[in-house]
Amino acid sequence: MRYWLMKSEPDEFSIHDLERVGTEPWTGVRNYQARNFMRDGMKPGDRILFYHSNTKVPGVAGIAEVASTAYPDPTQFDPRSDYHDPKATREEPRWMMVDVSFVEKFDDVVSLEEIKSIADELDEFALVRRGNRLSVMPVAERHYKRILALKPKSKRSKR
DNA sequence: GCCAACGTTGGC
DNA sequence: GCCAACGTTGGC
C-alpha cells in the first residue's frame, strides 16, 4: 500500500463534505505531475492524508483512501465546466482522476505549523519544502505514520 | 489582500 | 528551444 497527500480547499470541499458523501470523484486536477501520481501510482486502498489548504488553519484534517483506479476526468470534456479542456478528446483524454473515499476525520486538524515544527524529522517530505504547490503528492510510510502520531487523542474514545 | 514560487503559454 | 509574460497556488 502507498500513501499520498491530497489538498482541498475546505470552502470548496472539506473532510466534512467527504464524510457526508462517502465517496467523491476527484475532478479538476490540472497539473501533469499530480495527474501522473493519480494515473501511475494510485491503487484502490492506498491511504490519503486529506489536507485543507487556503484556510485559516491549513493542515491535515483527516484520512481518506483511494477508491478506484484512474479514469478520465469527465469535466475536461464539458464545455460548461470550469475544468473544461478544449484540447482534450474522449479518444485522447488529457486528465485522469480517481475516486476518493472517507476514512476518518480528526478531532482537530494537524496543522501545517505542527508539521513544520517536526520538519527536521520529515526530510524529503514535499509538503514542508518551500513553495510547494502540488495538490497531489506521495508520502513516505514513515512520514505518514509520523504525522498520524501528531493527531490529537480523542477525548471520548469509543474504540 | 499581498506576494513568492512556479507551472504554462506563446512569440520569436 | 529560450524566456518573458502571465496565471495560479497557498501561506501569511
Side-chain angles (χ1 to χ4, degrees):
Chain A
M1 183 181 10
R2 295 194 194 180
Y3 301 91
W4 306 92
L5 181 142
M6 295 174 92
K7 296 179 184 172
S8 184
E9 302 194 12
D11 289 348
E12 303 292 325
F13 191 81
S14 70
I15 190 75
H16 307 271
D17 296 320
L18 186 60
E19 181 173 31
R20 184 166 43 77
V21 301
T23 299
E24 176 76 3
W26 209 254
T27 55
V29 173
R30 293 294 179 269
N31 171 283
Y32 289 104
Q33 226 184 325
R35 176 203 67 185
N36 294 348
F37 286 136
M38 291 196 288
R39 184 188 63 192
D40 306 331
M42 287 192 179
K43 299 232 165 45
D46 285 0
R47 291 285 159 138
I48 300 163
L49 296 172
F50 194 101
Y51 182 88
H52 283 176
S53 66
N54 233 324
T55 187
K56 197 171 174 188
V57 183
V60 176
I63 299 170
E65 70 176 15
V66 177
S68 76
T69 53
Y71 60 97
D73 180 339
T75 62
Q76 70 193 301
F77 309 124
D78 179 359
R80 299 196 310 192
S81 168
D82 287 346
Y83 302 125
H84 180 235
D85 183 343
K87 291 178 183 163
T89 64
R90 289 184 189 275
E91 293 71 32
E92 279 188 83
R94 224 187 234 212
W95 304 110
M96 304 291 280
M97 50 167 251
V98 297
D99 294 342
V100 168
S101 287
F102 178 81
V103 174
E104 177 183 343
K105 177 164 71 68
F106 295 165
D107 289 342
D108 287 299
V109 167
V110 174
S111 68
L112 180 60
E113 190 182 8
E114 287 173 82
I115 294 168
K116 280 182 171 171
S117 75
I118 59 157
D120 54 331
E121 298 175 49
L122 299 174
D123 59 304
E124 301 303 308
F125 184 30
L127 181 71
V128 295
R129 272 190 265 168
R130 204 158 63 108
N132 193 293
R133 293 161 49 202
L134 256 191
S135 66
V136 177
M137 66 184 77
V139 178
E141 183 175 13
R142 71 178 192 285
H143 293 162
Y144 179 87
K145 290 182 170 165
R146 188 66 187 84
I147 287 165
L148 285 202
L150 297 175
K151 182 177 76 162
K153 301 280 184 271
S154 186
K155 284 165 196 153
R156 291 174 57 243
S157 177
K158 289 176 182 172
R159 273 162 289 178

